[in-house]
């Protein structure tokens, strides 16, 4: 499999801005990232790379007094999944909670603050007899967490075909079979859910929130994450407009998780 990596320089550099860039690039096909002293290296399959899309995406990240530049590098043809797993994957969720993952560069390995924090919350909750949705499933970790906490049926959806394949592998690895894993965006949601979890970029959460709520049972819970603490007021405002009431706020290293209940 032929890969490219894009060396992106952030001026001035900060880790929080690097996280924002990572989130945006994850939506356009980049599947692994490495932070550098001046920015990030973002990795993508050569066949999936469109430079105009990269330019448009970087232009769309409007942060005052911050600029981006990049260079494109072609990589040696080798098994980069194996290399990434060997050099970057920290099995923290297996050590602490018994969730086995073979991440294969999909999002949700558990080492990122948002994934770890929301996984911890879900694994300390009870989903007995619930039908639950993991929207933007990545590795499948959040759906796996709910299944381990007695969910009756799990539906997992992701827009990325690579993530769908990886999630299926990870459900099998954890011996979970009460799951349907679908390729698609929020329009693929069908039926009503007792709990919905969405760990996605802020803009997507806001755009798709009315659709999430329309598929959430009355008094059902929805967990939203993948955004920064400073985004919390905007997220709460949009949630309340859609008939949701705030229950809990969790934070870790500048990232936030919000739990709401449908009225």
């Amino acid at each position: 499999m032929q890969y490219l990596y894009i060396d992106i320089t952030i001026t001035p550099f900060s880790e929080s801005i690097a996280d924002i860039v990572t989130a945006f690039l994850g939506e356009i096909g980049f599947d692994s990232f490495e932070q550098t002293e001046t920015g990030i290296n973002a990795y993508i399959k050569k066949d999936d790379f469109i430079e105009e899309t990269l330019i448009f995406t970087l232009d769309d990240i409007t942060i005052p007094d911050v600029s981006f530049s990049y260079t494109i590098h072609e990589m040696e043809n080798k098994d980069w999944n194996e290399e990434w797993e060997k050099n970057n994957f920290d099995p923290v969720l297996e050590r602490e909670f018994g969730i086995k993952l073979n991440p294969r560069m999909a999002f949700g390995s558990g080492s990122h603050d948002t994934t770890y924090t929301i996984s911890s919350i879900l694994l300390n909750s009870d989903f007995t007899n619930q039908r639950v949705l993991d929207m933007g499933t990545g590795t499948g970790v959040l759906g796996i967490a709910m299944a381990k906490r007695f969910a009756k049926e799990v539906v997992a959806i992701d827009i990325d075909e690579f993530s769908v394949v990886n999630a299926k592998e990870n459900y099998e690895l954890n011996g979970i079979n009460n799951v349907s894993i679908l390729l698609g965006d929020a329009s693929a949601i069908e039926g009503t859910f007792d709990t919905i979890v969405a760990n996605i970029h802020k803009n997507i959460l806001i755009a798709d929130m009315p659709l999430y709520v329309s598929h959430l049972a009355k008094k059902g819970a929805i967990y939203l994450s993948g955004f920064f603490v400073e985004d919390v007021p905007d997220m709460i405002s949009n949630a309340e407009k859609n008939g949701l009431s705030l229950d809990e706020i969790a934070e870790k290293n500048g990232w936030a998780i919000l739990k709401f209940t449908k009225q």
Side-chain angles (χ1 to χ4, degrees), residues 20-242:
I20 293 171
V21 175
T22 297
F24 271 83
L25 296 184
E27 299 299 327
I28 61 169
F30 287 83
D31 55 27
S32 62
F33 305 90
E34 178 184 30
Q35 195 167 112
T36 67
E37 292 183 357
T38 58
I40 60 171
N41 289 334
Y43 297 81
I44 189 170
K45 287 178 281 189
K46 186 175 182 179
D47 290 346
D48 293 343
F49 179 65
I50 301 172
E51 187 171 4
E52 290 79 5
T53 303
L54 172 65
I55 294 169
F56 176 82
T57 300
L58 292 176
D59 285 345
D60 199 38
I61 305 173
T62 53
I63 302 174
D65 302 318
V66 174
S67 62
F68 306 102
S69 60
Y70 67 88
T71 54
I72 302 170
H73 304 269
E74 190 163 311
M75 302 179 68
E76 179 185 352
N77 192 10
K78 61 194 292 187
D79 189 345
W80 288 104
N81 288 337
E82 181 180 347
E83 290 293 311
W84 184 87
E85 291 165 14
K86 183 166 55 180
N87 296 317
N88 294 278
F89 175 48
D90 176 13
V92 59
L93 295 181
E94 183 172 1
R95 286 198 309 271
E96 297 193 16
F97 304 114
I99 294 180
K100 300 176 182 179
L101 292 177
N102 182 5
R104 297 193 180 278
M105 294 159 66
F107 289 103
S109 67
S111 56
H112 192 277
D113 291 325
T114 51
T115 307
Y116 178 84
T117 305
I118 195 169
S119 296
S120 302
I121 291 170
L122 297 178
L123 287 161
N124 284 284
S125 302
D126 185 0
F127 302 99
T128 300
N129 293 324
Q130 290 194 18
R131 184 172 191 251
V132 302
L133 170 65
D134 177 12
M135 190 67 219
T137 191
T139 60
V141 61
L142 302 184
I144 292 169
M146 291 187 285
K148 283 183 169 290
R149 295 300 299 161
F150 317 116
K152 176 177 64 176
E153 179 188 356
V154 180
V155 176
I157 301 175
D158 202 288
I159 198 168
D160 177 54
E161 185 175 358
F162 193 77
S163 292
V164 168
V165 172
N166 187 212
K168 289 178 180 177
E169 293 175 341
N170 288 325
Y171 273 96
E172 292 175 2
L173 193 62
N174 287 274
I176 296 168
N177 53 28
N178 59 333
V179 59
S180 300
I181 305 173
L182 309 176
L183 177 66
D185 58 17
S187 65
I189 303 173
E190 293 184 353
T192 301
F193 295 88
D194 301 291
T195 297
I196 295 175
V197 177
N199 182 19
I200 313 177
H201 186 265
K202 170 194 170 184
N203 293 342
I204 297 174
L205 291 175
I206 290 175
D208 290 342
M209 200 178 299
L211 195 52
Y212 299 157
V213 174
S214 71
H215 289 278
L216 185 64
K218 189 174 182 180
K219 302 301 181 182
I222 181 167
Y223 297 80
L224 303 177
S225 64
F227 47 88
F228 295 100
V229 171
E230 52 262 38
D231 296 321
V232 165
D234 198 15
M235 295 300 299
I236 292 174
S237 175
N238 278 275
E240 289 176 344
K241 290 176 184 176
N242 283 279

Side-chain angles (χ1 to χ4, degrees), residues 243-263:
L244 298 174
S245 176
L246 180 66
D247 283 343
E248 298 177 21
I249 301 177
E251 301 175 7
K252 185 175 182 181
N253 294 333
W255 294 88
I257 293 94
L258 303 178
K259 179 187 176 184
F260 298 93
T261 299
K262 183 176 179 178
Q263 299 306 301

